[in-house]
Amino acid sequence: MTTDATTIEPDVAQDKVALLYDYSKHLLSLALLGIGGIVSLSQSPQGQKIPGLIVSIMLAALALAGFCALSCSASILRARQRDLPVGQGAWRSSQAAMMFLGMGVGGFLIIWIETLL
């Protein structure tokens, strides 16, 4: 009986793709949570002072963030299903999701704080 221990090196490319997939799911959850938060806060007495057009723009930015995050996840799943490498589109979708999430949540928070002051 031998005690040869073999170690398998992890595949760095697969680790990056798995992290990107998990991160895109996280971004989608944050976008949905942000949409719910903006809708709830805009119905409060302070939130009703914010023009509807601005609220709509912030909701659109969060919807775009959710769409980009979902697109990133779908790209990864399609690539895995077809045994192809994940393309740059998934990475760009993830970056776009982060940008739109920041615009939506950050923009609403700035306007919300200005309304409170």
Side-chain angles (χ1 to χ4, degrees):
M1 200 167 167
T2 61
T3 59
D4 292 334
T6 59
T7 58
I8 299 174
E9 294 293 323
D11 187 6
V12 177
Q14 292 298 330
D15 286 346
K16 288 180 182 180
V17 171
L19 285 174
L20 180 64
Y21 180 74
D22 288 342
Y23 190 62
S24 66
K25 291 190 307 183
H26 179 69
L27 288 174
L28 178 60
S29 298
L30 288 176
L32 292 173
L33 190 66
I35 289 172
I38 287 177
V39 169
S40 296
L41 287 175
S42 65
Q43 294 177 356
S44 69
Q46 295 87 3
Q48 291 179 354
K49 297 176 188 175
I50 300 172
L53 179 64
I54 293 176
V55 173
S56 298
I57 291 170
M58 299 305 138
L59 287 174
L62 287 174
L64 283 171
F67 176 76
C68 290
L70 191 60
S71 175
C72 176
S73 297
S75 295
I76 293 169
L77 290 174
R78 274 194 308 271
R80 287 278 176 99
Q81 184 181 24
R82 297 175 183 158
D83 289 329
L84 297 172
V86 175
Q88 288 297 315
W91 298 95
R92 288 190 189 108
S93 293
S94 173
Q95 292 171 345
M98 288 186 281
M99 179 187 69
F100 286 124
L101 185 66
M103 286 172 45
V105 173
F108 185 80
L109 283 177
I110 289 170
I111 294 166
W112 175 257
I113 290 171
E114 285 178 353
T115 303
L116 291 178
L117 297 177

